[in-house]
């Protein structure tokens, strides 16, 4: 048997050799999630051994990761806004930038309690569930089309006490009346698809590709849902970093006002919000 410390070192070396950007962080995640021993615990007990089958599982995971398979799919979950969401093949991985989309919505409804919110192209449900948990008495509906993603949506909803209502259906076909439409839709332009990182290409194309110019979902959602947003309501999108002006124009054309483009922590345009009269 080897010590966990030795396996941590070896895992780090494997990931570094494969060109993984932050091998120390990722090795730590694999040791903790697959090996059951966190880097902090290892530091406190450097002589502690790791059972052979756990060590083998960590080694297999490091090999998979080295081939460009996403870390989040390997461990089967990822943290978002302080909560852990199940994810895996067939669903978009929760991303840190998307937390900002949630923040915009949470702020808007800080003094407007009990909003009815619909999250379109919900995927894991990380946006919908975060909003349901963070906004007092929010009533959140999540819409997702694809079977593979719906499985994760249901699973996450169950893990968080069924706090949202999850609907399988087409996000472009509107229903009901809401105070907020929120969406991180597929927004990658067709020509950019082949340039994506191999990790991103492991995610479903249906969660990434937003048509020829990447803007198909913004056009359709802004137009189709307008009549289903209550007066004084709010719409919030995550966008690709080059799409701020274009999405602003789409919202304007469709009658929304008070349009704002917000930057993410890297200073890139990432969120567009607007209101309805
Ligand atoms: N942010 C994703 C990327 O890395 C795109 C996700 C999406 O299309 N909503 O390309």
């Amino acid at each position: 048997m080897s010590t966990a410390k030795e396996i941590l070192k070896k895992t780090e070396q494997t990931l570094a050799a494969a060109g993984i950007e932050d091998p120390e962080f990722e090795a730590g995640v694999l040791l903790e999630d697959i090996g059951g021993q966190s880097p902090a615990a290892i530091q406190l007990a450097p002589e502690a051994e790791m059972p052979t089958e756990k060590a083998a599982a960590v080694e297999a995971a490091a090999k998979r990761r080295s081939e460009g398979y996403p870390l989040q799919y390997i461990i089967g979950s990822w943290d978002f806004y302080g909560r852990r969401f199940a994810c895996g093949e067939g669903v978009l991985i929760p991303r840190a930038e998307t937390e900002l989309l949630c923040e915009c919505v949470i702020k808007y409804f800080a003094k407007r309690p009990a909003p009815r919110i619909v999250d379109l192209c919900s995927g894991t449900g990380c946006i919908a569930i975060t909003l349901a948990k963070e906004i007092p008495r929010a009533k959140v509906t999540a819409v997702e089309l694809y079977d593979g993603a719906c499985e994760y949506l249901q699973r996450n909803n169950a893990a968080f006490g069924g706090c949202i209502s999850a609907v399988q259906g087409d996000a472009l076909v509107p229903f009901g009346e809401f105070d907020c439409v929120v969406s991180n839709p597929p927004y990658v332009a067709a020509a950019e698809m082949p340039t994506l990182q191999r990790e991103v290409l492991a995610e479903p194309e249906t969660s990434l590709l937003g048509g020829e110019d990447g803007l198909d979902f913004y056009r359709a959602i802004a137009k189709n849902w307008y009549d289903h947003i209550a007066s004084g309501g709010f719409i919030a999108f995550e966008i690709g970093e080059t799409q701020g002006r274009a999405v602003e124009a789409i919202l304007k054309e469709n009658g929304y006002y008070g349009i704002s483009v917000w930057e993410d922590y890297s200073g890139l345009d990432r969120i567009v919000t607007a209101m309805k009269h």
Side-chain angles (χ1 to χ4, degrees):
M1 248 192 295
S2 313
T3 67
K5 195 176 173 190
E6 288 162 346
I7 293 160
L8 179 59
K9 191 92 231 141
K10 193 171 149 216
T11 305
E12 233 178 276
Q13 285 164 352
T14 303
L15 299 181
I20 301 298
E21 214 169 282
D22 193 347
E24 195 185 332
F25 167 72
E26 295 208 11
V29 172
L30 292 180
L31 264 281
E32 179 164 358
D33 272 82
I34 314 271
Q37 282 170 272
S38 72
I42 292 168
Q43 213 164 21
L44 289 173
E47 302 306 324
E49 295 193 330
M50 184 175 281
T52 316
E53 68 281 8
K54 289 250 161 128
V58 171
E59 193 179 335
K63 185 166 176 288
R64 195 101 208 268
R65 181 68 193 99
S66 298
E67 291 156 0
Y69 197 68
L71 178 69
Q72 299 89 334
Y73 283 179
I74 293 170
I75 65 168
S77 64
W78 201 245
D79 286 343
F80 181 87
Y81 216 97
R83 296 181 183 84
R84 182 153 277 221
F85 291 88
C87 67
E89 250 172 65
V91 73
L92 190 81
I93 296 164
R95 285 161 164 70
E97 309 90 276
T98 309
E99 293 177 341
L100 204 59
L101 177 63
C102 292
E103 263 170 41
C104 287
V105 177
I106 291 164
K107 271 195 197 133
Y108 187 80
F109 289 104
K111 294 201 179 77
R112 298 171 173 91
R116 297 158 296 172
I117 299 173
V118 64
D119 171 32
L120 304 175
C121 312
S122 197
T124 57
C126 62
I127 297 169
I129 289 167
T130 299
L131 297 177
K133 293 288 184 191
E134 299 292 330
I135 301 175
R137 288 177 290 124
K139 197 171 171 294
V140 184
T141 304
V143 180
E144 171 55 49
L145 181 58
Y146 297 99
D147 289 347
C150 277
E151 271 174 44
Y152 285 99
L153 180 59
Q154 305 285 8
R155 221 165 108 186
N156 285 318
N157 190 23
F160 290 103
C163 61
I164 61 167
S165 111
V167 175
Q168 182 161 20
D170 186 344
L172 307 185
V173 179
F175 58 86
E177 189 185 56
F178 296 91
D179 302 296
C180 177
V181 168
V182 60
S183 184
N184 172 22
Y187 58 64
V188 179
E192 276 168 36
M193 287 297 294
T195 72
L196 297 176
Q197 275 181 301
R198 56 188 182 166
E199 284 82 358
V200 180
L201 288 169
E203 296 178 278
E205 187 182 84
T206 49
S207 73
L208 299 167
L209 179 60
E212 208 46 40
D213 62 0
L215 300 169
D216 282 4
F217 285 81
Y218 304 116
R219 285 190 202 95
I221 292 171
K223 181 168 187 281
N224 299 358
W225 284 85
Y226 187 85
D227 289 335
H228 295 260
I229 303 176
S231 172
F234 192 61
I235 186 163
F237 286 129
E238 179 174 323
I239 58 158
E241 60 205 57
T242 61
Q243 296 171 333
R245 292 294 147 273
V247 174
E248 184 179 3
I250 290 168
L251 286 166
K252 200 172 282 173
E253 273 163 34
N254 283 283
Y256 299 86
Y257 78 103
I259 305 164
S260 307
V261 180
W262 309 86
E263 290 177 358
D264 63 17
Y265 303 110
S266 319
L268 303 168
D269 287 351
R270 187 61 62 198
I271 311 293
V272 182
T273 62
M275 290 174 278
K276 187 189 158 175
H277 282 293

